[in-house]
Amino acid sequence: MSYNNLNVLHWHIVDAFSWPVESKVHPELTEKGAYTTDMLYPYEEIKKIINYAKSRPIRVMPEFNMPGNTFIVSDAHPEIMSCLNKQPNWDKFGPEPPSGQLNIADLRGSFAFDVITEYSRLFVDLGFHMGGGSLNLEWWKEDPVIELYVCDHPGESIESLVKGWFNQTVGKIQEMGKVPFAREDSMLNFGYETKNTTIVEAWVSEDSVGKVVDKGYRAIATSWNRHYLDCGHGSWLSNFEGSSWCGPYKGWQKIYSYNPRAKITDPAKQKLVLGGEVALWSAQSDETTVDRNLYPRAAAFSEIMWTGSIDPNTNSTKDIGKVARRLTTTDSACKCIIQFNFGNRNHAFRV
């Protein structure tokens, strides 16, 4: 990352399948929610990662996705969950099995408050990503606890509960001295009120950035059809008939030619676009494939984000052909250096 001037590691550290990060407040989360005892991140290891990144310098911002995609919490606390592992029609309740999300009528976010409080102290970055993606209101409509709560509280609805949950959660993040980050689908769909405090990850389409800044939010461009690097390798889910939902594969040219500010003409709104990120989800990536999936596409992303899409010499959009020729030249030079270093072990690690 440091070689390519990528300066933020957005770490989606928990999801429906595993809770691998140590919790001192709720130790049962990792005791019951980690894959194995050696597949977790103790406090000390996380601190080492943060310090290692800082020396490069790279920020490490955690994401604790809530209230959706939290099935794993049910291993320790089923009493605060809704719509657990609905089968066989799991795709009615979520983007992937097993389904399950926090019960938004249960003490209005006390578990989420514990998560935010504990991990805001562990992760020193000013940003705290609360997720908010992959929500399906149908999940909650079928929960008897939520149904009873709505009946007992005139004027409340599923929508108002979601809005209240996000308002309180964002307030807690701010109380901890952090800047809230959230996914676009939660912030745009449920009428969250304090827009200027939250930074929104715009991922649903290439037009999302414009929609986000039009609402008054600051935006990070993460369009799936430009910046999702795990796509195009087939699907591991049973409802996509072999094709991944976000296919096809995005070559570096697709990434390099995307300008998230291109359709935003208001200079004030352009300033609300803070940057972008490329995303690599780990459902089909591991230590064997991660470098191949990230690079050189992440390098192309970094260059276009830092330097912009306009060639200062011609005042026109940068020519992909010229970039390709430069890559070819660089590749040849690298091969020469590597061949030289293999022949001289004293310099083998100075490339």
Side-chain angles (χ1 to χ4, degrees):
M1 288 180 66
S2 62
Y3 287 156
N4 290 283
N5 291 326
L6 296 167
N7 62 344
V8 180
L9 174 62
H10 170 183
W11 192 357
H12 188 102
I13 196 168
V14 300
D15 214 304
F17 312 103
S18 174
W19 193 286
V21 55
E22 179 187 6
S23 174
K24 295 185 183 296
V25 177
H26 292 286
E28 66 277 7
L29 289 173
T30 44
E31 290 171 2
K32 298 183 178 181
Y35 282 124
T36 66
T37 54
D38 62 344
M39 296 180 72
L40 53 87
Y41 295 100
Y43 264 45
E44 290 307 311
E45 186 168 346
I46 288 175
K47 290 176 182 178
K48 287 179 181 179
I49 292 171
I50 292 171
N51 289 330
Y52 182 88
K54 184 179 179 180
S55 68
R56 263 122 187 104
I58 297 168
R59 296 166 44 201
V60 178
M61 180 183 70
E63 177 181 348
F64 289 85
N65 190 25
M66 299 180 289
N69 281 11
T70 48
F71 169 82
I72 196 62
V73 176
S74 69
D75 283 1
H77 293 288
E79 72 280 2
I80 63 172
M81 302 298 297
S82 295
C83 298
L84 289 173
N85 198 20
K86 293 290 186 177
Q87 297 290 350
N89 299 317
W90 58 264
D91 50 354
K92 176 184 175 184
F93 297 92
E96 61 189 19
S99 63
Q101 57 189 30
L102 298 179
N103 185 329
I104 53 173
D106 183 76
L107 301 179
R108 300 300 290 271
S110 59
F111 174 79
F113 285 4
D114 288 346
V115 170
I116 293 165
T117 300
E118 176 175 12
Y119 294 118
S120 288
R121 292 168 177 161
L122 176 59
F123 288 89
V124 296
D125 191 75
L126 283 178
F128 191 98
H129 203 306
M130 65 177 183
S134 304
L135 296 183
N136 186 333
L137 299 191
E138 298 301 318
W139 295 3
W140 287 310
K141 289 178 181 178
E142 297 194 8
D143 188 297
V145 175
I146 293 181
E147 184 180 16
L148 181 62
Y149 183 94
V150 171
C151 289
D152 289 344
H153 294 79
E156 286 277 32
S157 64
I158 300 296
E159 289 78 7
S160 67
L161 283 174
V162 175
K163 180 179 177 180
W165 192 93
F166 278 117
N167 282 331
Q168 292 189 47
T169 302
V170 168
K172 185 63 178 180
I173 294 172
Q174 293 173 312
E175 180 186 312
M176 296 302 298
K178 302 290 187 176
V179 177
F181 282 69
R183 297 190 183 278
E184 153 194 6
D185 29 346
S186 59
M187 292 295 97
L188 296 191
N189 294 341
F190 301 111
Y192 172 62
E193 293 165 349
T194 52
K195 298 179 175 62
N196 61 341
T197 64
T198 303
I199 297 173
V200 176
E201 186 180 342
W203 69 274
V204 173
S205 73
E206 292 179 32
D207 296 327
S208 291
V209 173
K211 294 177 181 178
V212 167
V213 299
D214 282 345
K215 293 281 188 178
Y217 296 105
R218 291 170 289 172
I220 300 294
T222 324
S223 173
W224 70 264
N225 57 336
R226 293 281 187 166
H227 288 171
Y228 273 33
L229 303 184
D230 53 300
C231 304
H233 300 288
S235 178
W236 58 278
L237 296 168
S238 60
N239 65 335
F240 278 96
E241 298 181 351
S243 299
S244 60
W245 73 270
C246 57
Y249 181 91
K250 284 81 177 165
W252 69 264
Q253 299 91 334
K254 182 82 170 176
I255 296 167
Y256 198 89
S257 60
Y258 175 49
N259 177 8
R261 291 176 173 164
K263 296 181 181 180
I264 304 171
T265 56
D266 184 342
K269 291 181 178 179
Q270 287 183 344
K271 291 181 180 179
L272 293 177
V273 184
L274 303 183
E277 70 175 18
V278 282
L280 180 65
W281 297 89
S282 61
Q284 292 174 287
S285 298
D286 60 15
E287 64 273 15
T288 304
T289 62
V290 63
D291 283 336
R292 181 194 69 193
N293 288 341
L294 281 173
Y295 303 106
R297 293 181 295 165
F301 160 81
S302 180
E303 178 174 302
I304 200 66
M305 279 292 175
W306 282 113
T307 64
S309 61
I310 303 300
D311 187 335
N313 297 318
T314 63
N315 201 32
S316 59
T317 302
K318 289 179 178 176
D319 186 339
I320 292 291
K322 290 182 179 179
V323 180
R325 289 192 291 274
R326 174 157 54 86
L327 284 174
T328 303
T329 302
T330 303
D331 180 57
S332 298
C334 286
K335 287 179 180 177
C336 291
I337 294 171
I338 292 169
Q339 288 170 359
F340 168 78
N341 286 334
F342 277 138
N344 186 341
R345 294 195 178 192
N346 292 328
H347 299 280
F349 300 102
R350 295 186 183 179
V351 176

